[in-house]
């Protein structure tokens, strides 16, 4: 079955420290992987994606993610966290649909708290 | 540039009343369109997706239906709302196979 797992409900980090939000996936074929961020009562905003190429992907707001095929992981990272990074983060994977197109499967989300 | 409009932003409806949420996309053609529901501020559940006009796929059995009368219009409906239909509804679109999805601002539906 195609799925995405975010094992941590919540991640707490102090401002200025590095942060990691974990994601593992299960999908047939080559994975197309995404990270999104959601602020309260808003839609999701795209951060970055991996399709092919370099395993380290750089995205918006200083975030990056590392694709690891052997561990089927796509962890989100940032070298120095900001209080404004506090939000809900979703990992997602492109999956095949029954109609021949594609759909996006999201993880359950990880809430990031950055303390000043 | 492409934009997505979703309305209303908030909605309070009584149990048993009908529902119609609308989503439109501008600046692109033949997008894939999606309706998601987010409960309790956490995970997203895919409700419906559409690869073209009048082509709707349902992911989970439920009290809701979707329609796509025009290429860039996606409507979520219900004939009779249930309390369990409360949640945050998000419309999204994408074009192409490897591209990211773009989301509307969401509609918070409260059924009372």
């Amino acid at each position: 079955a195609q799925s995405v797992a975010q094992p941590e409900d919540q991640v707490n980090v102090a401002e200025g420290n590095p942060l990691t939000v974990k994601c593992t996936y299960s999908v047939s074929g080559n994975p197309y992987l995404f990270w999104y961020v959601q602020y309260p009562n808003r839609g999701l905003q795209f951060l970055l994606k991996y399709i092919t190429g370099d395993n380290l992907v750089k995205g918006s707001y200083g975030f990056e993610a590392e694709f690891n095929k052997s561990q089927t992981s796509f962890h989100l990272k940032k070298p120095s966290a900001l209080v404004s990074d506090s939000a809900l983060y979703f990992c997602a994977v492109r999956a095949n649909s029954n109609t021949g197109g594609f759909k996006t499967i999201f993880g359950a989300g990880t809430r990031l708290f950055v303390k000043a | 540039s492409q934009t997505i409009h979703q309305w209303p932003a908030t909605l309070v409806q009584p149990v048993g009343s009908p529902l119609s949420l609308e989503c439109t996309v501008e600046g692109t053609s033949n997008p894939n369109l999606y309706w998601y529901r987010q409960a309790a501020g956490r995970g997203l559940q895919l409700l419906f997706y559409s690869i073209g006009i009048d082509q709707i796929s349902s992911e989970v059995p439920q009290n809701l239906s979707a329609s796509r009368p025009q290429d860039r219009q996606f409507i979520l409906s219900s004939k009779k709302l249930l309390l369990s239909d409360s949640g945050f509804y998000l419309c999204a679109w994408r074009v192409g196979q490897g591209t990211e999805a773009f989301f509307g601002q969401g509609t918070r539906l409260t059924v009372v």
Side-chain angles (χ1 to χ4, degrees), chain B residues 3 6-7 14-16 21 23 25 33 49 55 67 74 81 83 85 87 97-98 110:
Chain B
T3 56
Q6 186 181 342
W7 67 92
V15 168
L21 301 181
C23 172
V25 180
L33 296 172
Y49 63 95
Q55 299 180 67
S67 61
F74 204 25
L81 283 169
L83 288 174
D85 291 324
Q97 298 185 4
T110 304

Side-chain angles (χ1 to χ4, degrees), chain B residues 17-70:
Chain B
S17 64
L19 173 73
S20 180
L21 301 181
E22 189 163 342
C23 172
T24 60
V25 180
E26 296 178 357
T28 187
S29 297
N30 197 30
N32 292 338
L33 296 172
Y34 306 85
W35 277 112
Y36 289 88
R37 177 168 57 202
Q38 184 178 28
R42 294 309 297 267
L44 277 73
Q45 180 185 36
L46 179 60
L47 301 176
F48 301 95
Y49 63 95
S50 171
I51 62 173
I53 295 175
D54 294 329
Q55 299 180 67
I56 310 293
S57 295
S58 175
E59 284 293 294
V60 294
Q62 58 204 308
N63 185 42
L64 302 168
S65 62
S67 61
R68 185 172 177 176
Q70 302 179 41

Side-chain angles (χ1 to χ4, degrees), chain A residues 3-82:
Chain A
S3 64
V4 176
Q6 291 180 244
E8 304 154 314
D9 288 342
Q10 182 172 312
V11 171
N12 298 311
V13 65
E15 188 174 34
N17 284 0
L19 69 88
T20 299
V21 182
K22 296 180 181 177
C23 172
T24 59
Y25 65 90
S26 173
V27 65
S28 55
N30 293 323
Y32 287 25
L33 298 158
F34 307 85
W35 275 101
Y36 293 83
V37 61
Q38 185 182 32
Y39 297 97
N41 294 311
R42 303 298 297 274
L44 277 68
Q45 297 177 34
F46 168 74
L47 280 179
L48 50 80
K49 65 182 176 184
Y50 172 83
I51 297 177
T52 186
D54 194 349
N55 288 344
L56 185 63
V57 179
K58 294 188 182 296
S60 306
Y61 312 120
F63 284 94
E64 56 190 27
E66 186 168 12
F67 170 65
N68 188 315
K69 187 174 183 178
S70 62
Q71 297 184 8
T72 62
S73 67
F74 189 54
H75 300 333
L76 181 70
K77 300 180 180 182
K78 187 172 183 181
S80 179
L82 300 172

